[in-house]
Amino acid sequence: MEEANKTIISVKNAVYKYNRDTEDEVTALRGVSFDIAEGDFVALVGANGSGKSTLARLLNALYVPDEGEVLVGGVSTDTGDSDKLFGIRRTVGVVFQNPDNQMVASVIEDDVAFGPENLGLPPAEIRERVDYALECVGMSEYKKGTPFRLSGGQKQRIAIAGVLALRPKVLVLDESTAMLDPRGKKEVLDVVERVRAEDGMTVVMITHFPDEAARADRVIALDGGKVVMDASARKALSDVETLRAYGLDAPLPARIAYEMRKRGALLPDGIVTAEDLAEALCGKNI
Ligand code: ADP
Ligand code: MG
């Protein structure tokens, strides 16, 4: 059990600037620090431009910080050692917003195999990983088909399968449900629940949707490139005023509880879900 809470990602005072030392310089991250332990489920929230995507790219060494450091499994992402870099990219898999930009092949199973092929794995292992990943996202029956005719949710599940085929320890989803309809969103969130339940995967989910963030155990909020909240999901998402100050919505039940308290209702703290609110108003379901 000693391994249970091992730190897998450590961000220490990370600063990141675009167009550094030019007149177009933008400081996207201004000294960000946090640790993520193996098995954590973190929602990363923040208004547009707060630095979420930049941070996602720092987590798998697509970018290295200008100051401070990012450690993945204890190894700095700012390494000249290509084996170490390779290890980091295998450890942290990132799924982006637009599934169309993540498709590389015209047959679904080839698309999913692209990553493992690039790892130079033997064909039998590639086969096994592709089957596992497609099974995980519930798309096995489509493997011989073309990705282009799929729904947005199905395409995003294929993109996730491509990342899962690399067997990452950490799955980072950068607003991966943003372009999907409600059904597509649910499909993707169900996959996240599944890899967490079955593989204990560490998940960092960047999202604009407060109800999605409520699925996580912990919420980290960014504002102007700084961490402004880092707390349990219950504490962070029930704090309507603080969220609002950073341009963020709390889940609807939390907002209802907030408005009721303003009108004198004596409700407990920490109301986030519909169940929490119902329990506060009517007692436990018996
Ligand atoms: P978020 O994902 O939270 O919307 P980003 O990490 O994309 O935020 O952006 C953080 C800041 O960095 C913003 O001010 C954004 O305009 C700027 N930025 C992002 N990408 C680039 C880029 N490629 N070149 C210059 N500035 C960028
Ligand atoms: Mg973004």
Side-chain angles (χ1 to χ4, degrees), residues 218-246:
R218 173 179 168 200
V219 170
I220 297 177
L222 290 182
D223 184 59
K226 284 190 172 148
V227 173
V228 290
M229 295 175 104
D230 183 353
S232 70
R234 180 173 298 287
K235 187 163 188 296
L237 296 174
S238 60
D239 190 348
V240 175
E241 285 186 0
T242 306
L243 288 169
R244 200 168 278 170
Y246 299 119

Side-chain angles (χ1 to χ4, degrees), residues 66-222:
D66 293 302
E67 292 169 37
E69 62 178 350
V70 176
L71 304 172
V72 174
V75 178
S76 170
T77 57
D78 194 1
T79 171
D81 182 331
S82 59
D83 285 345
K84 284 184 178 165
L85 200 56
F86 208 57
I88 290 169
R89 299 248 166 90
R90 286 176 69 165
T91 304
V92 183
V94 185
V95 181
F96 294 99
Q97 187 176 94
N98 186 344
D100 289 321
N101 297 342
Q102 299 174 70
M103 299 287 160
V104 290
S106 56
V107 177
I108 287 172
E109 62 180 356
D110 295 346
D111 196 87
V112 177
F114 184 77
E117 273 165 4
N118 276 335
L119 295 179
L121 296 171
E125 173 146 19
I126 295 176
R127 178 80 264 151
E128 192 188 310
R129 284 179 173 223
V130 168
D131 289 346
Y132 151 84
L134 283 169
E135 216 282 300
C136 234
V137 301
M139 290 293 289
S140 301
E141 63 190 284
Y142 294 87
K143 67 181 177 188
K144 301 286 181 198
T146 166
F148 305 113
R149 271 193 286 273
L150 298 175
S151 72
Q154 289 173 324
K155 283 184 191 168
Q156 197 57 291
R157 284 191 281 156
I158 298 301
I160 294 173
V163 172
L164 293 179
L166 301 171
R167 299 265 163 102
K169 286 189 177 164
V170 184
L171 180 64
V172 179
L173 301 140
D174 187 358
E175 304 209 37
S176 303
T177 66
M179 302 181 73
L180 307 180
D181 62 16
R183 181 173 167 177
K185 283 186 173 49
K186 183 172 183 313
E187 288 172 2
V188 167
L189 294 170
D190 286 348
V191 172
V192 171
E193 304 261 297
R194 182 160 179 203
V195 295
R196 280 188 39 75
E198 290 177 15
D199 302 319
M201 203 172 279
T202 311
V203 174
V204 179
M205 186 166 71
I206 299 175
T207 181
H208 255 97
F209 301 104
D211 295 329
E212 288 185 5
R215 293 171 171 244
D217 301 321
R218 173 179 168 200
V219 170
I220 297 177
L222 290 182

Side-chain angles (χ1 to χ4, degrees), residues 2-16:
E2 209 178 303
E3 301 278 294
N5 285 316
K6 215 168 99 182
T7 299
I8 179 93
I9 288 177
S10 190
V11 181
K12 296 177 198 270
N13 268 312
V15 172
Y16 188 83

